[in-house]
Amino acid sequence: QVQLGESGGGLVQTGGSLRLSCATEGVIFNTYTIGWFRQAPGKEREFVLAQSWSGGVPLTADTADSVKGRFLISRDNSKNTVYLQMNSLKPEDTAVYYCAARGGYDRAWSSSASGYNYWGQGTQVTVSS
């Protein structure tokens, strides 16, 4: 069974950085996609970034325009953990951040919350102005 757990959220000032972690357990697919989404109060869940891997090799990455050049995704295979590095943070980045997983990759669903089968519990990120 796939289990995901986010950590690393917190309070940061505008222009600061945070690194979120998504610990993954039970992800046995040879090809799979990890997506990061966020949800601010009163808003729908929003796509941030997605990265697919096959046999441990990174494949396609998709990035929301709102975070391009500021957010990066990476993975530590030895720790079964995927990271979201967030730089140059803005108050509008304030949200609960979620990681999600699904076997395979298809651009048709990689940026859609409904495309993912497995979700973590979320971690709060607050950017003060």
Side-chain angles (χ1 to χ4, degrees):
Q1 182 177 353
V2 176
Q3 292 186 321
L4 308 174
E6 302 93 336
S7 61
L11 174 65
V12 64
Q13 292 185 335
T14 295
S17 297
L18 275 177
R19 189 179 75 163
L20 305 184
S21 300
C22 174
T24 67
E25 292 185 15
V27 179
I28 61 173
F29 312 107
N30 185 58
T31 300
Y32 66 95
T33 301
I34 298 291
W36 283 95
F37 292 80
R38 64 187 181 187
Q39 189 165 18
K43 294 188 177 181
E44 293 186 354
R45 195 162 295 189
E46 175 189 29
F47 169 71
V48 178
L49 268 172
Q51 173 72 57
S52 62
W53 290 269
S54 183
V57 178
L59 298 178
T60 304
D62 301 311
T63 308
D65 289 342
S66 59
V67 304
K68 274 184 181 176
R70 300 190 297 125
F71 289 14
L72 294 171
I73 194 170
S74 62
R75 187 177 84 164
D76 185 332
N77 293 334
S78 66
K79 297 181 179 179
N80 292 325
T81 299
V82 176
Y83 301 100
L84 179 66
Q85 178 67 43
M86 305 186 296
N87 302 318
S88 302
L89 283 162
K90 306 174 182 179
E92 51 264 43
D93 294 320
T94 296
V96 177
Y97 282 72
Y98 300 88
C99 63
R102 173 173 172 169
Y105 169 81
D106 194 317
R107 185 152 281 165
W109 54 258
S110 65
S111 61
S112 175
S114 62
Y116 291 82
N117 306 110
Y118 308 99
W119 290 84
Q121 80 286 355
T123 185
Q124 175 71 47
V125 172
T126 303
V127 184
S128 64
S129 57

